[in-house]
Amino acid sequence: MRRIRPRRNPAVPILLVVAAGAAGVLWMWWDNTANIAGTEAQVLNAGRITGILAGYLIALVVILMARVPALERRVGSDRIARWHAMSGRYTICLLTAHVVLTMYAYAMQANTGFLAQTIDSVNTLPDLGKATIGTGLLILIGFLSMGFIRRRIGYDTWYHIHLLTYAGVFLTFWHQLSLGTEYAEGSVGRTVWYGLYGAATVLVVWYRVMMPIRLNLRHKMRVEAVVEESPGVVSVLITGKRLHRMGAEAGQFFRWRFLAPGMRFSSHPYSLSAAPRPGLLRITVKANGDHSSALRHLEPGTRVWAEGPYGAMTASRRSRGKVLLVAGGVGITPMRALFETLPGAPGDITLLYRANSTQDLALWDELSVIAEERGARLMYAVNSPDGERPDISAETLGRRIPDIDRHDVFMCGPAGFAESTYDALRGAGVPARRIHHESFEF
């Protein structure tokens, strides 16, 4: 069996750098604090600490929104999205604590009420009025991003509201320099803060604005055809110039915008469902919403605007000669591309496809041809005629693939399917480090 050297987890050094940055921020506070004796000073400094940590996290939140390829491809877009969401929650908590603690300390110093002091501070302190508006925007975005609310808002609506984060960051930045003792004119802290926020701005402008413009002007993509693959599932064939130079790999995805009526302002992530070719890309999409349902009506020649490629679920994650690909529903799209391109001897590559019925096995004919040509194994698991779900347990996987514990596993599908399959794989003896999964439920 061929042994492939595994890649190290890139998340560990990144998290260490982030922790070191937080420690540096706290040192800035300590170096600029002469005395914290007394209740008023303690409350005020607690407000300062939460404020500078919030400022630091705000910059990280923006960097995580920048779609930096080095992060997206090595760490994974789904993990980056989780980091972004987690950092946003911490930021909102720190911002709230900063406002409450600081205004309470000012009120104690002035011997006045909390609300009266807050109004007075907003009206008199430099840049605090702008910061109040910015903080309100960030808190509103955080509120709308809560799971039970987010699920009730359309993706496009939520996405465009989320872009107000940039306005919130801009409005809150200036009061940090005006009022923070850590950022006095000519101080190291002021230079560091300009550098941190300047770097975040450059990354966003370059990777979210300039690079997509360059990519789309260079490759000039258009819809060639729309093909129905199975009930509710269509493939969109996209042509363009020198598409092989986009650097896309099997297992990756783009964020697609189709310049057709009603779709121009919608950008959605869809995986490549076939290996990239010099003049052709293909995505395969199941109708799960307004945008995905509208794809079947695209006309040939429709202009396409894409951002990417993104995603870390590529062949570079592989660490073993034998590979099991597990797909649930439309999660077959990146698995089909990997099934075609992953190198391996006959019998090294296995694909297990889970669907509700045989009619829902999209791309099955293609998969069968690939399996025959490569000597790969192709299996499916569908519901019984009476609707009973198939058994995908550790025992079943162990019987069907006796050496499963010596496989790398690539998996894509709905969240519930992914969780249950992950548990089954772990029960069958597959180490967690060899189970590769990327979610596209952003």
Side-chain angles (χ1 to χ4, degrees), residues 236-294:
V236 181
L237 306 181
I238 298 163
T239 59
K241 297 181 178 180
R242 301 180 298 275
L243 298 183
H244 59 295
R245 296 185 180 178
M246 297 174 74
E249 300 178 53
Q252 292 190 306
F253 68 97
F254 288 79
R255 287 178 169 87
W256 302 94
R257 188 187 305 272
F258 297 93
L259 306 186
M263 302 181 71
R264 297 176 184 273
F265 301 104
S266 300
S267 175
H268 288 246
Y270 299 123
S271 297
L272 297 175
S273 61
R277 289 170 172 78
L280 185 68
L281 299 176
R282 188 183 74 174
I283 59 174
T284 302
V285 182
K286 183 175 182 179
N288 283 325
D290 293 341
H291 188 273
S292 54
S293 299

Side-chain angles (χ1 to χ4, degrees), residues 2 177 199 339 348 374 388 429:
R2 183 166 60 94
L177 303 183
F339 194 51
D348 279 354
R374 304 197 58 192
E388 184 178 353

Side-chain angles (χ1 to χ4, degrees), residues 332 336 339 351 353 361-380:
I332 189 60
R336 188 264 179 227
F339 194 51
L351 172 62
Y353 190 173
L361 294 170
L363 309 176
W364 184 257
D365 290 343
E366 293 183 16
L367 294 168
S368 300
V369 171
I370 293 171
E372 183 175 355
E373 291 178 346
R374 304 197 58 192
R377 291 193 291 175
L378 178 61
M379 302 181 290
Y380 67 85

Side-chain angles (χ1 to χ4, degrees), residues 143-333:
F143 176 74
L144 294 177
S145 297
M146 296 175 67
F148 71 96
I149 297 176
R150 167 68 185 87
R151 287 188 289 270
R152 289 169 172 77
I153 302 176
Y155 174 84
D156 293 325
T157 301
W158 174 84
Y159 172 81
H160 289 104
I161 291 174
H162 211 68
L163 292 178
L164 291 173
T165 300
Y166 297 120
V169 172
F170 178 80
L171 291 170
T172 57
F173 174 73
W174 302 105
H175 90 289
Q176 300 177 64
L177 303 183
S178 302
L179 301 174
T181 57
E182 295 80 12
Y183 319 112
E185 193 71 38
S187 67
V188 173
R190 194 180 187 93
T191 302
V192 169
W193 233 234
Y194 270 126
L196 179 62
Y197 277 78
T201 301
V202 168
L203 290 173
V204 168
V205 171
W206 181 251
Y207 288 115
R208 295 205 63 168
V209 180
M210 302 307 297
M211 287 294 288
I213 291 175
R214 176 179 177 271
L215 180 144
N216 287 279
L217 290 178
R218 183 182 185 187
H219 297 289
K220 301 183 185 301
M221 288 173 282
R222 293 182 181 272
V223 173
E224 181 179 80
V226 178
V227 179
E228 185 170 2
E229 302 288 359
S230 66
V233 177
V234 298
S235 287
V236 181
L237 306 181
I238 298 163
T239 59
K241 297 181 178 180
R242 301 180 298 275
L243 298 183
H244 59 295
R245 296 185 180 178
M246 297 174 74
E249 300 178 53
Q252 292 190 306
F253 68 97
F254 288 79
R255 287 178 169 87
W256 302 94
R257 188 187 305 272
F258 297 93
L259 306 186
M263 302 181 71
R264 297 176 184 273
F265 301 104
S266 300
S267 175
H268 288 246
Y270 299 123
S271 297
L272 297 175
S273 61
R277 289 170 172 78
L280 185 68
L281 299 176
R282 188 183 74 174
I283 59 174
T284 302
V285 182
K286 183 175 182 179
N288 283 325
D290 293 341
H291 188 273
S292 54
S293 299
L295 294 181
R296 67 173 52 252
H297 303 297
L298 287 173
E299 296 290 337
T302 300
R303 291 284 303 275
V304 180
W305 185 274
E307 297 176 42
Y310 302 120
M313 194 170 60
T314 64
S316 62
R317 284 195 174 187
R318 184 179 181 182
S319 63
R320 289 291 186 275
K322 293 191 174 184
V323 176
L324 169 64
L325 307 172
V326 184
V330 78
I332 189 60
T333 53

